Amino acid sequence: MTAPDNRVHEPIDPDIDLRMRARRHELTRGQAPVVAVVAAGGALGAVARYGAGLIWPTAPGTFPWTTLGINALGCAIIGVFMVVITDGWSVHRLVRPFVGTGVLGGFTTFSTYAVDISHLIDAGRARTALGYLALTLVVALGAVWAAAATTRRLIARRRS
């Protein structure tokens, strides 16, 4: 009698059979530069965010304008960046992960946003926390949309 097979069987990408040692090595070797540039960009973005927090600190229990501003600015830059690299110029394959995922991912910050909401709730300002939660969503999406739309118009005007 054989023992039941209790291993988890996850789906396998048909293009990359990770059961083959050579394919696993090929995948990890090809991803190393991407991981490196995301890490380096993330460090730069996080340092920039931290610096902004030092320059414009938020007093405990008050509305976190700095985090809102950082996230809005980062989202606007993401909107411009994505349009420029998809509609404007051809860039090296590592530019998008470095700038988009790394720098801007490290600069914009969901974790600080969540901590700010928690601090507002702990300070007895649940309404302010809820307002901040909703306002950040509206401002961030609006910033991406407005920046992308404006950039597309500028690129189209420049080409004509």
Side-chain angles (χ1 to χ4, degrees):
M1 178 178 227
T2 60
D5 184 3
N6 293 329
R7 294 177 292 170
V8 175
H9 296 282
E10 295 184 19
I12 296 174
D13 184 336
D15 297 328
I16 303 172
D17 187 353
L18 296 179
R19 292 175 291 191
M20 297 172 54
R21 182 181 180 99
R23 296 305 300 250
R24 285 194 307 266
H25 180 68
E26 177 184 317
L27 179 66
T28 57
R29 183 174 28 112
Q31 292 299 313
V34 175
V35 171
V37 298
V38 168
L44 291 173
V47 167
R49 181 189 68 239
Y50 180 74
L54 291 177
I55 294 168
W56 301 287
T58 299
T62 63
F63 192 88
W65 290 107
T66 301
T67 305
L68 178 66
I70 287 169
N71 287 338
L73 176 62
C75 287
I77 295 169
I78 287 170
V80 170
F81 176 71
M82 293 309 293
V83 169
V84 167
I85 67 167
T86 57
D87 298 355
W89 298 303
S90 177
V91 296
H92 188 276
R93 72 179 188 92
L94 296 177
V95 170
R96 183 175 179 173
F98 175 73
V99 176
T101 306
V103 174
L104 296 172
F107 184 67
T108 59
T109 170
F110 182 78
S111 59
T112 303
Y113 167 64
V115 168
D116 287 343
I117 291 168
S118 178
H119 286 163
L120 287 168
I121 291 170
D122 291 346
R125 303 197 58 208
R127 279 188 184 169
T128 302
L130 186 59
Y132 173 56
L133 183 121
L135 182 62
T136 297
L137 179 64
V138 170
V139 167
L141 291 175
V144 170
W145 177 82
T150 302
T151 305
R152 277 193 186 95
R153 280 194 299 272
L154 290 172
I155 288 174
R157 187 179 304 155
R158 190 171 183 199
R159 286 183 178 161
S160 57

